[in-house]
Amino acid sequence: GNSVTQMEGPVTLSEEAFLTINCTYTATGYPSLFWYVQYPGEGLQLLLKATKADDKGSNKGFEATYRKETTSFHLEKGSVQVSDSAVYFCALRSGNTGKLIFGQGTTLQVKP
Amino acid sequence: EAGVAQSPRYKIIEKRQSVAFWCNPISGHATLYWYQQILGQGPKLLIQFQNNGVVDDSQLPKDRFSAERLKGVDSTLKIQPAKLEDSAVYLCASSRATSAGGRDEQFFGPGTRLTVL
């Protein structure tokens, strides 16, 4: 079945450090891929998405490229801020419904 | 535009008791989802509604969980009787999608945190 695997957290970085959060997936067909973010006390928010191979999603300085050959969708940011501290979820959508399948989430803590 | 509303935000019950959660989606959104998020895991879809019809409830434990969306707007999710393993955050999401395979963005509510003692 379809599944998403993320790197284990928590990830602790200093402000302005480079961020990578790994995400790999297993899916039949051609899924759409997403990164969601959950700030403390808030609901999940869509951060970025990519709907086909080699697409790059980007938002708020974050980027992720849909790599079909490696079944990956790694999240990157060149310089993190304290305000980026949150839980990040990789997800896929496949098939003929809107159902999202999420990874387990990665907690990011950025220290000043 | 108001977001997805959920209530209550927190609920503590004893095992074998009943509990109900309420969700009000964004106005005009045809599709509504209930997800269960256990601590340390990603959200898992419990049930998807298209207007007031069920699209997918394959992962809903139907012996104890039920959900309805009678008028195609608000929805309630009920657990009866609750078990310890039902402790989780219950997330409601909605999207504009007017067909089951819609590709519209899902907007999430803040969730209801359930603790079963």
Side-chain angles (χ1 to χ4, degrees), chain B residues 21-86:
Chain B
F21 313 126
W22 174 81
C23 173
N24 183 229
I26 293 172
S27 178
H29 280 197
T31 306
L32 186 146
Y33 308 82
W34 283 102
Y35 289 86
Q36 180 193 55
Q37 185 179 8
I38 293 172
L39 186 64
Q41 299 181 20
K44 180 185 78 172
L45 182 71
L46 292 175
I47 189 167
Q48 176 184 348
F49 290 96
Q50 189 70 36
N51 296 307
N52 60 352
V54 175
V55 173
D56 183 353
D57 64 356
S58 57
Q59 298 195 80
L60 186 74
K62 299 181 185 65
D63 58 334
R64 298 183 301 106
F65 286 64
S66 63
E68 60 183 14
R69 193 184 184 201
L70 292 176
K71 296 183 179 180
V73 181
D74 292 7
S75 177
T76 56
L77 176 70
K78 297 179 182 178
I79 308 175
Q80 180 179 9
K83 292 185 175 181
L84 296 177
E85 59 260 36
D86 298 331

Side-chain angles (χ1 to χ4, degrees), chain A residues 32 36 38 41-46 49 89 93 95-105, chain B residues 9 33 35 37 40-43 45 48 55-56 59 91 100-101 103-106 108-110:
Chain A
S32 296
Y36 279 82
Q38 190 171 37
E42 298 184 19
L44 282 167
Q45 302 173 26
L46 178 63
K49 67 179 181 181
F89 293 91
R93 182 178 64 204
N96 59 358
T97 71
K99 174 182 178 179
L100 291 170
I101 295 171
F102 288 87
Q104 75 270 34
Chain B
R9 291 296 308 276
Y33 308 82
Y35 289 86
Q37 185 179 8
Q41 299 181 20
L45 182 71
Q48 176 184 348
V55 173
D56 183 353
Q59 298 195 80
L91 298 169
R103 298 289 187 258
D104 297 78
E105 179 181 349
Q106 291 182 32
F108 285 80

